[in-house]
Amino acid sequence: MVDNSYEKQQLKKLRTYIYITIALLFSMIFIFVSILFLYFPMIGILDVVYFPPKLAIFSFLISIVFSVLAIKNLFGKILLVLNIFLMLFMNFYGP
């Protein structure tokens, strides 16, 4: 008999790690584009006619989805709160 519970636990940790990594990657893209918006105030985050706001909103949504998938982990919760606060900041104080 093979004990599969340890393997299942390791696969669950690996899946959570992958979710957090993907969420962090798209969160960093969102932060980078948001910093560009703050330095070059030509467009805002909700001007979806241009490419950078589309990229920012798309990366925000993907990061939110993967953060919700990893919500049981502390880093997933931190990423979720960070992305939400950053989006609110960019909506109210951005250009």
Side-chain angles (χ1 to χ4, degrees):
M1 305 280 305
V2 178
D3 187 21
N4 290 333
S5 63
Y6 182 72
E7 292 175 3
K8 288 180 183 180
Q9 184 181 16
Q10 291 296 329
L11 286 175
K12 186 188 290 187
K13 286 182 182 180
L14 179 65
R15 188 177 342 126
T16 304
Y17 175 75
I18 291 171
Y19 290 157
I20 289 174
T21 305
I22 293 172
L24 187 63
L25 174 74
F26 283 103
S27 178
M28 290 298 130
I29 293 171
F30 179 58
I31 289 172
F32 176 71
V33 173
S34 297
I35 288 172
L36 285 177
F37 285 158
L38 292 177
Y39 283 133
F40 304 108
M42 296 177 289
I43 57 176
I45 192 121
L46 296 178
D47 293 335
V48 293
V49 177
Y50 303 106
F51 178 71
K54 288 180 186 177
L55 177 67
I57 291 172
F58 183 68
S59 63
F60 168 75
L61 292 176
I62 290 177
S63 181
I64 289 293
V65 166
F66 282 105
S67 296
V68 167
L69 288 174
I71 196 77
K72 292 182 181 178
N73 194 334
L74 178 65
F75 293 119
K77 293 175 187 173
I78 290 171
L79 278 173
L80 183 66
V81 170
L82 175 77
N83 284 328
I84 290 172
F85 281 139
L86 185 62
M87 180 57 97
L88 290 174
F89 175 78
M90 288 303 295
N91 281 333
F92 293 123
Y93 297 111

